[in-house]
mmCIF file of all heavy atoms in Angstrom:
data_model
loop_
_atom_site.group_PDB
_atom_site.id
_atom_site.type_symbol
_atom_site.label_atom_id
_atom_site.label_comp_id
_atom_site.label_asym_id
_atom_site.label_seq_id
_atom_site.Cartn_x
_atom_site.Cartn_y
_atom_site.Cartn_z
ATOM 1 N N ARG B 23 185.180 42.559 168.397
ATOM 2 C CA ARG B 23 185.331 41.142 168.757
ATOM 3 C C ARG B 23 186.732 40.654 168.417
ATOM 4 O O ARG B 23 187.352 39.919 169.188
ATOM 5 C CB ARG B 23 184.304 40.301 167.989
ATOM 6 C CG ARG B 23 182.880 40.489 168.450
ATOM 7 C CD ARG B 23 181.887 39.986 167.410
ATOM 8 N NE ARG B 23 182.073 38.591 167.050
ATOM 9 C CZ ARG B 23 181.536 37.566 167.714
ATOM 10 N NH1 ARG B 23 180.775 37.800 168.752
ATOM 11 N NH2 ARG B 23 181.758 36.320 167.338
ATOM 12 N N ALA B 27 189.742 39.223 170.887
ATOM 13 C CA ALA B 27 190.463 37.961 170.648
ATOM 14 C C ALA B 27 191.972 38.203 170.617
ATOM 15 O O ALA B 27 192.751 37.417 171.178
ATOM 16 C CB ALA B 27 189.992 37.327 169.346
ATOM 17 N N LEU B 42 188.995 26.769 174.184
ATOM 18 C CA LEU B 42 188.318 27.994 173.779
ATOM 19 C C LEU B 42 186.824 27.737 173.663
ATOM 20 O O LEU B 42 186.394 26.815 172.971
ATOM 21 C CB LEU B 42 188.857 28.474 172.423
ATOM 22 C CG LEU B 42 190.353 28.766 172.352
ATOM 23 C CD1 LEU B 42 190.753 29.127 170.923
ATOM 24 C CD2 LEU B 42 190.741 29.894 173.306
ATOM 25 N N GLY B 43 186.026 28.562 174.326
ATOM 26 C CA GLY B 43 184.572 28.440 174.250
ATOM 27 C C GLY B 43 184.045 28.976 172.927
ATOM 28 O O GLY B 43 184.796 29.390 172.046
ATOM 29 N N ILE B 44 182.725 28.966 172.816
ATOM 30 C CA ILE B 44 182.066 29.381 171.573
ATOM 31 C C ILE B 44 181.950 30.908 171.544
ATOM 32 O O ILE B 44 181.792 31.551 172.576
ATOM 33 C CB ILE B 44 180.691 28.681 171.479
ATOM 34 C CG1 ILE B 44 180.909 27.190 171.219
ATOM 35 C CG2 ILE B 44 179.823 29.271 170.376
ATOM 36 C CD1 ILE B 44 179.699 26.331 171.475
ATOM 37 N N GLY B 45 182.062 31.507 170.355
ATOM 38 C CA GLY B 45 181.937 32.956 170.203
ATOM 39 C C GLY B 45 183.302 33.619 170.122
ATOM 40 O O GLY B 45 184.205 33.106 169.452
ATOM 41 N N ILE B 46 183.476 34.735 170.823
ATOM 42 C CA ILE B 46 184.745 35.469 170.798
ATOM 43 C C ILE B 46 185.940 34.550 171.141
ATOM 44 O O ILE B 46 186.968 34.609 170.475
ATOM 45 C CB ILE B 46 184.691 36.706 171.729
ATOM 46 C CG1 ILE B 46 183.699 37.721 171.154
ATOM 47 C CG2 ILE B 46 186.068 37.341 171.909
ATOM 48 C CD1 ILE B 46 183.311 38.835 172.113
ATOM 49 N N PRO B 47 185.808 33.672 172.174
ATOM 50 C CA PRO B 47 186.957 32.810 172.492
ATOM 51 C C PRO B 47 187.461 32.013 171.287
ATOM 52 O O PRO B 47 188.669 31.841 171.110
ATOM 53 C CB PRO B 47 186.400 31.884 173.577
ATOM 54 C CG PRO B 47 185.369 32.718 174.260
ATOM 55 C CD PRO B 47 184.725 33.517 173.155
ATOM 56 N N THR B 48 186.542 31.541 170.434
ATOM 57 C CA THR B 48 186.937 30.764 169.250
ATOM 58 C C THR B 48 187.877 31.571 168.359
ATOM 59 O O THR B 48 188.802 31.026 167.751
ATOM 60 C CB THR B 48 185.682 30.355 168.447
ATOM 61 O OG1 THR B 48 184.803 29.651 169.320
ATOM 62 C CG2 THR B 48 186.035 29.472 167.254
ATOM 63 N N LEU B 49 187.641 32.896 168.289
ATOM 64 C CA LEU B 49 188.445 33.754 167.414
ATOM 65 C C LEU B 49 189.906 33.849 167.861
ATOM 66 O O LEU B 49 190.783 34.207 167.069
ATOM 67 C CB LEU B 49 187.861 35.171 167.368
ATOM 68 C CG LEU B 49 186.432 35.322 166.828
ATOM 69 C CD1 LEU B 49 185.964 36.768 166.956
ATOM 70 C CD2 LEU B 49 186.364 34.872 165.377
ATOM 71 N N VAL B 50 190.155 33.540 169.143
ATOM 72 C CA VAL B 50 191.526 33.638 169.672
ATOM 73 C C VAL B 50 192.486 32.766 168.851
ATOM 74 O O VAL B 50 193.650 33.128 168.644
ATOM 75 C CB VAL B 50 191.561 33.243 171.167
ATOM 76 C CG1 VAL B 50 192.988 33.199 171.691
ATOM 77 C CG2 VAL B 50 190.719 34.215 171.991
ATOM 78 N N GLN B 90 180.823 21.644 164.914
ATOM 79 C CA GLN B 90 181.299 22.017 163.579
ATOM 80 C C GLN B 90 182.271 20.962 163.075
ATOM 81 O O GLN B 90 183.044 20.399 163.856
ATOM 82 C CB GLN B 90 182.039 23.355 163.638
ATOM 83 C CG GLN B 90 181.182 24.511 164.095
ATOM 84 C CD GLN B 90 182.026 25.747 164.376
ATOM 85 O OE1 GLN B 90 183.006 25.673 165.115
ATOM 86 N NE2 GLN B 90 181.657 26.850 163.769
ATOM 87 N N VAL B 119 189.217 29.912 177.960
ATOM 88 C CA VAL B 119 188.616 31.199 177.609
ATOM 89 C C VAL B 119 187.142 30.950 177.324
ATOM 90 O O VAL B 119 186.810 30.083 176.502
ATOM 91 C CB VAL B 119 189.285 31.814 176.355
ATOM 92 C CG1 VAL B 119 188.751 33.222 176.111
ATOM 93 C CG2 VAL B 119 190.802 31.838 176.506
ATOM 94 N N LEU B 120 186.272 31.657 178.028
ATOM 95 C CA LEU B 120 184.853 31.446 177.764
ATOM 96 C C LEU B 120 184.040 32.715 178.002
ATOM 97 O O LEU B 120 184.501 33.642 178.654
ATOM 98 C CB LEU B 120 184.300 30.266 178.567
ATOM 99 C CG LEU B 120 183.979 30.381 180.045
ATOM 100 C CD1 LEU B 120 183.337 29.089 180.513
ATOM 101 C CD2 LEU B 120 185.190 30.684 180.883
ATOM 102 N N GLY B 121 182.868 32.757 177.428
ATOM 103 C CA GLY B 121 181.973 33.899 177.552
ATOM 104 C C GLY B 121 181.131 33.804 178.811
ATOM 105 O O GLY B 121 181.154 32.792 179.504
ATOM 106 N N THR B 160 185.455 36.436 178.565
ATOM 107 C CA THR B 160 185.288 37.525 177.609
ATOM 108 C C THR B 160 183.799 37.847 177.509
ATOM 109 O O THR B 160 182.975 36.941 177.371
ATOM 110 C CB THR B 160 185.793 37.138 176.201
ATOM 111 O OG1 THR B 160 185.070 36.011 175.735
ATOM 112 C CG2 THR B 160 187.277 36.817 176.206
#
Side-chain angles (χ1 to χ4, degrees):
Chain B
R23 289 163 57 86
L42 301 176
I44 290 164
I46 293 167
T48 304
L49 299 175
V50 174
Q90 298 170 308
V119 187
L120 77 175
T160 60

